[in-house]
Amino acid sequence: MLKTGIPKLDEMLGGGVPAGKSLLFFTQPGIEGDVFGMQALYNALSSGLRAAYVLTMSPPYEFFESMREFGWEVSGSSKDRLIVVDGYSRLVGMDSEEKYVVDNPYDVNDFDAAVRSVLEEIDALFFSSLSDICDMCGEARTLESVRAWLELAAKKGVPVIANFTAWPYDAEILEGIKDAFDAVVKIAGIAERIIIGQYYSVTKANWVKAEEKALLFKVIRPGGVRAYIPKILVTGPYNAGKSTFVRALSKRSVSVDRLGTTVALDHGYIDHKGIVAEIFGTPGQERFDPLLKWLGGESMGVFLVVDSTDEESFPRAKKMLEMVRVSGLPCVIVANKQDLPGALPPEEIRKRMRLEEDMPIVPAVATEGKGVFEAFEILVERIMGI
Amino acid sequence: MTLKEELENVLAEIKNIGGIEASAIVSRDGLLIASDMKDDVHAETFAAMSAAMLGAAETAVSELRKGLTERVIVESQHGRIIAMGAGPKALLVVMTAPDAGLGLILVGMRKATEKIMELLK
């Protein structure tokens, strides 16, 4: 099984791309789709596989440079395991030191010869851009060859991952290329309401029943593709430890604290296990309630932080949850201050707050960072639904 | 042209007014929509705080029944931050040099907010 290393994608694909199967990253023009294939390539090389990369977008040194920008150093033994099929240098009349050089990149037969022979040496095959090959060699001829390559790779049990930018080709070509692959991941832009971003979704996979679910992503350098949650709200009564919770969770955070309490907003940035998220912490005191209404907009999930020793604050906690929680928004209760005497256990809190049976309640000590990432992982799972 | 590119064009236009160092379009609830900023600034945090600032000012003004909030201007040692509403969904924030003339900037921002409002309809 070839893992892509793209957060959440392997899970959606039932573990990755099986031997002999093929995956197409079908990218809308203007969206950063190339990085998906590069990340999968790096992941394959680091797990010890021998891979070939059919490069048509830039000369090899530029390709290695952009890999480096993402923090994916290809050198030493991982470089030995990589074969670059250079389909670019001859295009601009440059010399190439690669073992496989496509002499005439305008002739699909030259690509064909290289692909057929490199398939004998590798465990996984990658294409930097099949649309580039379409542009150079003609769409219909390229599609025909792609079908033949996939068939041959399937026979040899070699998984194939390819990028394709969906320029306005004939519908026949666009559909034909999608049909040729066993799985298709669509990468596109989103401008729904006011979240403007990029998403990916598995639109087809013939080895697993994949749910068609769109995940927002962000590309960071270094780092590559991260699943992205633009807004998670942290709310809860006065003195429950919301700011401490935001700080414990975040790589970087700021807080508008005056006289020891949050007066405007905490803001944190999380990068944890392939997920990037922005955290918005609300003030807890009632006099700031007018701010809560608009702070809550567009959030994709809610943490409700409660002081487990302070039963009197529970009604207020519940009211705050109602204020910010649009129906059905995923939520996790953080039962904070578990280290203090008199802290109620989660199940007791559920009873006293009369919370639904399936509402997760995570015991935590935010000052020591205990329980905070457990709570985060549970909420992420609920938001992404995988 | 995508919506994001059109919004970025609005920011590129106001940059032509002298004295503007950085700018951003932010949703009312604090998410960054588009920005023209140096890489060392964490634009998302700046966006969240700008929205909180304008939101709090608007709430304070309406509590006093003083009508609509025109803008928030923050003067600091090394420059100014100006935040203006751009319709019900978004706001426009710019950072200027400390000695930049406000007149042209405010006129330019007014025009920009109208465009943003139109684009995000």
Side-chain angles (χ1 to χ4, degrees), chain B residues 69-90:
Chain B
T69 304
E70 192 61 32
R71 65 183 77 87
V72 172
I73 302 182
V74 181
E75 305 202 331
S76 71
Q77 207 179 350
H78 300 298
R80 289 197 197 90
I81 296 176
I82 308 168
M84 260 175 105
K89 288 184 182 166

Side-chain angles (χ1 to χ4, degrees), chain A residues 2-18:
Chain A
L2 173 64
K3 286 195 186 306
T4 64
I6 310 281
K8 299 286 161 194
L9 182 58
D10 291 317
E11 288 161 57
M12 290 198 265
L13 293 174
V17 184

Side-chain angles (χ1 to χ4, degrees), chain A residues 326-344:
Chain A
V326 196
S327 59
L329 204 61
C331 178
V332 168
I333 312 283
V334 180
N336 197 19
K337 308 198 187 179
Q338 286 289 326
D339 56 330
L340 296 187
L344 294 165

Side-chain angles (χ1 to χ4, degrees), chain A residues 13-255:
Chain A
L13 293 174
V17 184
K21 294 286 185 182
S22 56
L23 171 77
L24 182 70
F25 289 119
F26 189 83
T27 306
Q28 184 187 311
I31 302 292
E32 291 175 284
D34 305 328
V35 54
F36 281 75
M38 288 159 68
Q39 188 157 342
L41 172 69
Y42 181 71
N43 203 58
L45 292 172
S46 348
S47 59
L49 296 177
R50 293 167 303 157
Y53 191 68
V54 181
L55 178 65
T56 45
M57 304 188 0
S58 64
Y61 70 88
E62 257 180 41
F63 160 69
F64 287 113
E65 190 50 50
S66 48
M67 289 289 275
R68 213 166 290 132
E69 261 178 45
F70 287 112
W72 303 327
E73 189 71 43
V74 182
S75 59
S77 66
S78 67
K79 191 157 190 175
D80 296 338
R81 287 194 297 273
L82 172 66
I83 300 172
V84 173
V85 176
D86 184 352
Y88 183 90
S89 295
R90 288 287 190 267
L91 212 56
V92 291
M94 265 168 43
D95 285 333
S96 177
E97 288 166 9
E98 303 306 323
K99 183 171 160 197
Y100 287 88
V101 182
V102 178
D103 260 324
N104 179 4
Y106 292 106
D107 184 355
V108 80
N109 292 325
D110 277 18
F111 278 102
D112 190 71
V115 168
R116 280 173 194 278
S117 122
V118 82
L119 266 173
E120 304 292 332
E121 300 186 45
I122 52 170
D123 308 309
L125 176 62
F126 295 81
F127 289 90
S128 71
S129 170
L130 288 178
S131 38
D132 280 355
I133 304 183
C134 280
D135 294 342
M136 293 186 291
C137 306
E139 296 145 35
R141 300 247 13 231
T142 303
L143 180 55
E144 203 178 301
S145 303
V146 167
R147 286 199 186 107
W149 297 334
L150 294 180
E151 203 175 302
L152 186 63
K155 231 179 256 167
K156 297 197 176 296
V158 174
V160 180
I161 291 182
N163 276 333
F164 181 85
T165 306
W167 299 110
Y169 300 114
D170 285 347
E172 225 172 283
I173 297 295
L174 293 174
E175 288 314 309
I177 192 98
K178 284 194 270 186
D179 281 344
F181 281 77
D182 295 304
V184 176
V185 174
K186 184 180 172 194
I187 303 170
I190 191 169
E192 193 183 311
R193 291 190 296 173
I194 40 181
I195 292 182
I196 298 179
Q198 327 182 80
Y199 73 92
Y200 59 88
S201 74
V202 179
T203 56
K204 163 184 149 184
N206 65 12
W207 64 84
V208 64
K209 206 184 159 303
E211 211 182 314
E212 198 171 315
K213 176 151 180 106
L215 288 190
L216 292 171
F217 72 91
K218 211 177 178 157
V219 176
I220 59 173
R221 292 180 172 77
V225 180
R226 296 278 194 273
Y228 180 49
I229 305 172
K231 190 169 195 176
I232 295 177
L233 204 64
V234 177
T235 192
Y238 171 63
N239 205 26
K242 298 176 294 297
S243 300
T244 315
F245 178 76
V246 171
R247 254 194 311 276
L249 207 49
S250 309
K251 264 183 112 170
R252 182 174 56 220
S253 70
V254 294
S255 177

Side-chain angles (χ1 to χ4, degrees), chain B:
Chain B
M1 197 160 29
T2 65
L3 179 57
K4 187 166 176 152
E5 284 167 333
E6 288 187 67
L7 291 167
E8 278 165 355
N9 278 352
V10 175
L11 295 182
E13 266 171 46
I14 58 167
K15 203 172 192 176
N16 292 334
I17 309 169
I20 291 186
E21 290 175 347
S23 59
I25 299 169
V26 179
S27 74
R28 287 275 178 178
D29 57 1
L31 296 177
L32 185 68
I33 298 175
S35 71
D36 177 4
M37 240 171 244
K38 280 187 203 131
D39 287 341
D40 58 345
V41 183
H42 192 233
E44 279 82 1
T45 300
F46 175 72
M49 290 302 157
S50 303
M53 210 166 72
L54 187 64
E58 284 176 341
T59 311
V61 168
S62 71
E63 283 298 311
L64 294 171
R65 297 188 189 80
K66 292 289 179 192
L68 295 172
T69 304
E70 192 61 32
R71 65 183 77 87
V72 172
I73 302 182
V74 181
E75 305 202 331
S76 71
Q77 207 179 350
H78 300 298
R80 289 197 197 90
I81 296 176
I82 308 168
M84 260 175 105
K89 288 184 182 166
L91 53 125
L92 170 69
V93 208
V94 307
M95 279 181 267
T96 75
D99 53 352
L102 269 187
L104 276 180
I105 291 178
L106 294 182
V107 173
M109 282 183 75
R110 165 69 53 73
K111 280 189 199 149
T113 55
E114 280 162 14
K115 273 184 219 158
I116 295 165
M117 189 158 72
E118 198 57 41
L119 287 169
L120 290 177
K121 230 178 202 164

